[in-house]
């Protein structure tokens, strides 16, 4: 995982043919160069994003390598959404080394040749190849097996949660318009009694028409715990005093019925997804030991594993910190001393998972809370609360790394030894 600029340059030798590929949704373009930038092909090679196109690319690259006495090829490409996945998987299967160049670097570098910001299929592959030749690329990680399953499942979970949040917001909006007093009767709109109410008598007029006895009877058909006439009378009183809209109720009932159906569908999907997530996480060596950290749940573990993949590819936890974009950068120039902030360059999903995991740790885990209090109250350069949270994110990554790497159990006392106490 630790691939410095020098190591990247060492991969491009006099025996290497550097190929720059401009990725498109259906058509890709490639150009080939040596390690000095001398071009082997007279024009850009055009190939389609399918098996036939990939085979044509292989034949083209092989012929050029033979013609120019090159023993290996290194492919560079600019990540264009998800369109590069198929070609990247093909290169991986063919054991061809490849790297990804930053689209921002391509945009800034393309003017070096002709001093114009123009963009076209012949120009971009050369710009990409020149960046690769100079070692300005990243080695992509394409997870396999259980790690790919976890990453896909966590992305599916994220999409599902987004839909659930959208539905919840729309239900709250509906209640604010047609039955604002509903929240004074029920603590949560998605509780059992509240859902039954919204399903069978959602509007104030429907509540009044239903009456106390029928309301209680419908509740008791599904809810085992005691919920009776007192609660029903409170609901009826709220309905009688409601300031909600009295017009357009037929369409309003259809709207809330549709929202509830969607909510049930996505709630069931989320439950199935989380069952699959737990099954896959249990297949990762030592992952179950992370649950020994008080305040850590399966979502945090799966979010970390989905972003990081196989922990064995890292030599040190600092590499994961950098992968997450949690490493610090300084903003200074001359006499100006700017703020030090995190880079935010890396996997945003992993950074979000770690951040969301640390927040409950500060509240529930004694060791992490003590560390947080130490960071914000120490005499020498105390941290602000958010700075402390970022520091604890790095600490949690190091704890995860140690447990997954060594198989040891969580030891809070050992972790607390890192505190540098002021004498």
């Amino acid at each position: 995982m630790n691939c410095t600029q020098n190591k990247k340059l060492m991969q491009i030798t006099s025996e290497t043919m550097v190929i720059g590929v401009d990725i498109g949704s259906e058509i890709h373009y490639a150009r080939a160069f040596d390690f000095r930038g001398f071009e082997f092909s007279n024009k850009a090679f055009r190939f389609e994003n399918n098996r036939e196109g990939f085979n044509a690319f292989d034949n083209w690259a092989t012929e050029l390598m033979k013609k120019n006495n090159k023993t290996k090829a290194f492919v560079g490409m600019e990540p264009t959404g998800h369109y590069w996945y198929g070609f990247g998987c093909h290169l991986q299967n063919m054991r061809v080394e490849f790297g990804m160049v930053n689209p921002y670097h391509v945009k800034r570098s393309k003017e070096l040749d002709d001093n114009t910001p123009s963009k076209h299929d012949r120009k971009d592959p050369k710009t990409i190849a020149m960046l690769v030749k100079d070692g300005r690329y990243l080695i992509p990680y394409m997870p396999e097996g259980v790690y790919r399953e976890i990453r896909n499942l966590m992305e599916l979970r994220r999409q599902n949660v987004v839909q659930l949040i959208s539905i919840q917001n729309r239900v709250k909006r509906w209640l604010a318009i047609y039955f604002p007093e509903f929240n004074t009767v029920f603590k949560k709109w998605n509780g059992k009694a509240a859902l039954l109410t919204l399903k069978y008598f959602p509007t104030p007029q429907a509540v009044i028409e239903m009456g106390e006895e029928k309301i209680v009877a419908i509740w008791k058909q599904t809810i085992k715990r005691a919920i009776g006439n007192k609660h029903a009378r409170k609901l009826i009183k709220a309905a009688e005093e409601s300031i909600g809209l009295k017009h357009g109720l037929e369409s309003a009932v259809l709207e809330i019925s549709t929202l509830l159906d969607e909510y049930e569908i996505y709630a069931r999907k989320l439950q199935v997804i989380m069952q699959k997530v737990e099954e896959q996480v249990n297949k990762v060596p030592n992952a179950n030991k992370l649950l020994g950290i008080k305040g850590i749940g399966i979502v945090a573990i799966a979010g970390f594993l989905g972003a990081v993949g196989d922990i064995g590819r890292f030599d040190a936890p600092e590499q994961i910190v950098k992968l997450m974009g949690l490493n610090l950068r300084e903003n200074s120039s001359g006499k100006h001393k700017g703020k030090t902030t995190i880079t935010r360059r890396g996997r945003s999903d992993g950074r979000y998972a770690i951040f969301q995991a640390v927040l409950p740790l500060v509240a529930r885990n004694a060791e992490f809370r003590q560390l947080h209090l130490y960071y914000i109250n120490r005499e020498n350069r105390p941290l602000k609360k958010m700075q402390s949270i970022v520091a604890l994110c790095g600490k949690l990554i190091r704890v995860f790394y140690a447990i997954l790497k060594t198989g040891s159990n969580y030891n809070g006392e050992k972790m607390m030894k890192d505190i540098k106490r002021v004498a």
Side-chain angles (χ1 to χ4, degrees):
M1 179 64 193
N2 188 16
C3 193
T4 63
Q5 184 81 5
N6 286 343
K7 288 185 178 180
K8 293 175 184 177
L9 288 171
M10 291 172 62
Q11 288 184 274
I12 310 300
T13 67
S14 59
E15 301 297 321
T16 305
M17 184 173 72
V18 180
I19 304 175
V21 179
D22 182 33
I23 299 292
S25 59
E26 298 179 356
I27 304 296
H28 310 322
Y29 292 88
R31 294 174 68 179
F33 304 83
D34 69 1
F35 75 108
R36 295 175 302 171
F38 180 84
E39 186 167 7
F40 296 142
S41 52
N42 295 325
K43 61 180 181 178
F45 178 74
R46 180 182 183 275
F47 63 102
E48 296 182 357
N49 188 34
N50 53 38
R51 175 61 58 190
E52 184 178 350
F54 295 164
N55 291 336
F57 170 84
D58 293 341
N59 295 332
W60 170 80
T62 302
E63 289 179 6
L64 282 180
M65 288 174 63
K66 290 180 179 178
K67 183 178 179 180
N68 295 280
N69 298 319
K70 301 301 178 183
T71 58
K72 69 171 185 176
F74 191 99
V75 178
M77 51 186 166
E78 179 185 7
T80 307
H82 56 276
Y83 299 122
W84 69 275
Y85 289 170
F87 186 54
C89 185
H90 171 75
L91 294 176
Q92 191 176 45
N93 293 335
M94 297 298 292
R95 307 296 182 187
V96 176
E97 292 181 306
F98 65 98
M100 313 298 293
V101 297
N102 192 319
Y104 182 78
H105 295 168
V106 176
K107 182 178 180 180
R108 290 298 183 183
S109 302
K110 63 175 59 180
E111 297 186 31
L112 294 176
D113 287 334
D114 53 12
N115 198 33
T116 65
S118 62
K119 173 183 174 63
H120 51 78
D121 299 328
R122 177 170 174 77
K123 184 176 180 179
D124 284 2
K126 180 179 180 180
T127 305
I128 293 169
M130 294 304 101
L131 288 169
V132 171
K133 175 181 70 69
D134 295 333
R136 304 186 186 282
Y137 62 89
L138 298 174
I139 301 297
Y141 171 64
M142 301 183 70
E144 300 176 346
V146 64
Y147 300 105
R148 170 55 69 180
E149 295 288 354
I150 293 175
R151 180 175 290 187
N152 290 347
L153 285 168
M154 290 306 291
E155 173 59 21
L156 190 59
R157 177 189 179 275
R158 185 195 65 79
Q159 296 172 2
N160 207 84
V161 169
V162 168
Q163 292 295 330
L164 277 174
I165 292 173
S166 174
I167 294 170
Q168 290 174 19
N169 290 336
R170 290 164 64 191
V171 170
K172 290 176 182 178
R173 174 185 177 276
W174 188 94
L175 289 172
I177 295 173
Y178 295 103
F179 201 167
E181 298 76 14
F182 188 87
N183 294 324
T184 65
V185 181
F186 302 99
K187 293 182 179 179
K188 298 187 300 181
W189 72 265
N190 55 355
K192 289 184 178 180
L195 284 175
L196 286 173
T197 301
L198 291 175
K199 184 175 181 180
Y200 291 103
F201 35 94
T203 63
Q205 291 77 3
V207 169
I208 297 171
E209 293 174 2
M210 186 67 64
E212 180 180 326
E213 297 300 326
K214 290 184 178 179
I215 290 174
V216 174
I218 291 175
W219 284 348
K220 288 187 175 180
Q221 288 178 3
T222 305
I223 304 172
K224 295 181 180 179
R225 63 179 178 84
I227 179 169
N229 297 70
K230 184 177 180 180
H231 214 76
R233 286 194 294 270
K234 186 178 180 180
L235 177 64
I236 293 172
K237 183 179 179 181
E240 292 172 343
E241 299 175 354
S242 178
I243 60 171
L245 291 184
K246 304 295 190 296
H247 304 285
L249 296 184
E250 185 175 345
S251 59
V253 170
L254 178 60
E255 180 184 1
I256 192 65
S257 176
T258 302
L259 289 173
L260 293 178
D261 289 342
E262 292 179 1
Y263 177 78
E264 291 178 2
I265 291 172
Y266 282 106
R268 286 196 300 269
K269 284 183 179 179
L270 183 60
Q271 187 177 8
V272 172
I273 291 169
M274 289 312 302
Q275 289 175 352
K276 296 292 184 181
V277 167
E278 191 168 357
E279 290 174 6
Q280 295 298 329
V281 168
N282 288 332
K283 296 178 182 179
V284 177
N286 303 321
N288 60 332
K289 294 189 176 182
L290 298 178
L291 293 171
I293 306 173
K294 185 178 179 181
I296 290 295
I298 196 71
V299 173
I301 298 172
F304 177 81
L305 292 173
V308 172
D310 185 4
I311 202 74
R313 67 193 184 98
F314 297 93
D315 299 322
E318 287 73 23
Q319 295 171 353
I320 303 178
V321 173
K322 186 175 182 180
L323 174 69
M324 301 293 193
L326 290 168
N327 54 314
L328 300 179
R329 66 184 178 99
E330 183 178 351
N331 300 305
S332 301
S333 177
K335 295 181 179 180
H336 171 71
K337 179 70 174 178
K339 292 183 179 180
T340 299
T341 60
I342 60 174
T343 62
R344 297 181 184 273
R345 297 289 179 88
R347 293 204 62 90
S348 58
D349 56 344
R351 185 167 62 250
Y352 178 80
I354 287 294
F355 183 80
Q356 290 295 318
V358 165
L359 294 180
L361 283 180
V362 172
R364 303 173 190 172
N365 187 288
E367 295 83 22
F368 276 87
R369 178 159 185 79
Q370 189 175 344
L371 273 175
H372 178 62
L373 294 174
Y374 166 73
Y375 287 147
I376 63 178
N377 295 316
R378 64 188 181 187
E379 294 181 9
N380 184 25
R381 299 174 65 185
L383 301 178
K384 295 180 181 179
K385 289 185 177 179
M386 187 53 66
Q387 291 175 325
S388 174
I389 295 297
V390 171
L392 290 175
C393 286
K395 186 65 179 176
L396 182 60
I397 289 174
R398 291 175 177 87
V399 172
F400 276 10
Y401 177 84
I403 293 175
L404 291 171
K405 195 87 169 182
T406 66
S408 57
N409 295 317
Y410 172 70
N411 188 327
E413 294 182 2
K414 183 178 180 181
M415 188 188 76
M416 295 303 293
K417 292 180 181 179
D418 291 346
I419 293 183
K420 298 180 181 179
R421 303 187 183 278
V422 179

